[in-house]
Amino acid sequence: GEDVEQSLFLSVREGDSSVINCTYTDSSSTYLYWYKQEPGAGLQLLTYIFSNMDMKQDQRLTVLLNKKDKHLSLRIADTQTGDSAIYFCAETSYAGNNRKLIWGLGTSLAVNP
Amino acid sequence: DVKVTQSSRYLVKRTGEKVFLECVQDMDHENMFWYRQDPGLGLRLIYFSYDVKMKEKGDIPEGYSVSREKKERFSLILESASTNQTSMYLCASRAGGWYQETQYFGPGTRLLVL
């Protein structure tokens, strides 16, 4: 079935770049998402990429999509302590008339001063 | 800006109690979702609704029911709470339309069942 995998932990120093990786299985996904969850809070949409794109840039965030390898990455430039959070990758899944998101388990990013 | 609100941030209930978790969205979205989030298990879909009075089971519906009497409100009901339902519950909404995929989340309700 559909599956989304991401590494569970990442630790970086403040000011460095962070790269969070994700692999997915459903090649028919139209959108792939990155959500951010700060401690004790709900999920906040960070960015998304449409499946016909290879790259999307939004300020400090760069999303790269390799459809051949079904690999998605999120790069955060100049990582700050406020970027410490859990980052979830998600792909769209179509089962009959139902659409839903398939979620990774989340990558916990720790930013050290 | 889409706003999704949940009735409580924290709840403490006793085993066997009936529990209602309420979610309200203000963007006239057709679709609403209830997830639970547990360490090491990520987000798991409990139920979703694609229209008023319509509901579909998600991946883990056992022990839960839902109600959608009005478009803006989606309630999750634990008929008889059990300790294994202690979790963080997240509500989300999404617009209708085939290419409207983005889900918007509420702040979550952390439920403790004693």
Side-chain angles (χ1 to χ4, degrees), chain B residues 96-114:
Chain B
W98 186 247
Y99 286 110
Q100 298 297 324
E101 305 291 352
T102 304
Q103 292 185 18
Y104 298 90
F105 283 81
T109 296
R110 194 169 289 281
L111 173 66
L112 172 63
V113 182
L114 299 174

Side-chain angles (χ1 to χ4, degrees), chain A residues 27-113:
Chain A
S27 57
S28 66
S29 291
T30 50
Y31 287 94
L32 295 123
Y33 292 88
W34 285 104
Y35 280 81
K36 176 184 179 182
Q37 185 180 35
E38 295 178 356
L43 273 70
Q44 167 196 349
L45 177 65
L46 204 56
T47 188
Y48 63 90
I49 189 166
F50 192 53
S51 59
N52 68 353
M53 298 169 67
D54 297 324
M55 184 179 90
K56 180 179 180 182
Q57 191 147 1
D58 183 2
Q59 298 182 340
R60 291 190 297 121
L61 305 178
T62 304
V63 179
L64 294 177
L65 175 60
N66 181 329
K67 284 191 71 176
K68 175 175 167 288
D69 294 337
K70 298 193 185 74
H71 182 265
L72 183 73
S73 68
L74 173 70
R75 178 176 180 269
I76 306 173
D78 187 25
T79 313
Q80 302 297 306
T81 53
D83 295 323
S84 294
I86 302 175
Y87 291 81
F88 289 92
C89 170
E91 64 164 346
T92 46
S93 170
Y94 304 91
N97 289 325
N98 291 326
R99 293 134 54 206
K100 60 180 183 179
L101 292 178
I102 306 296
W103 297 88
L105 294 185
T107 300
S108 182
L109 174 65
V111 182
N112 306 305

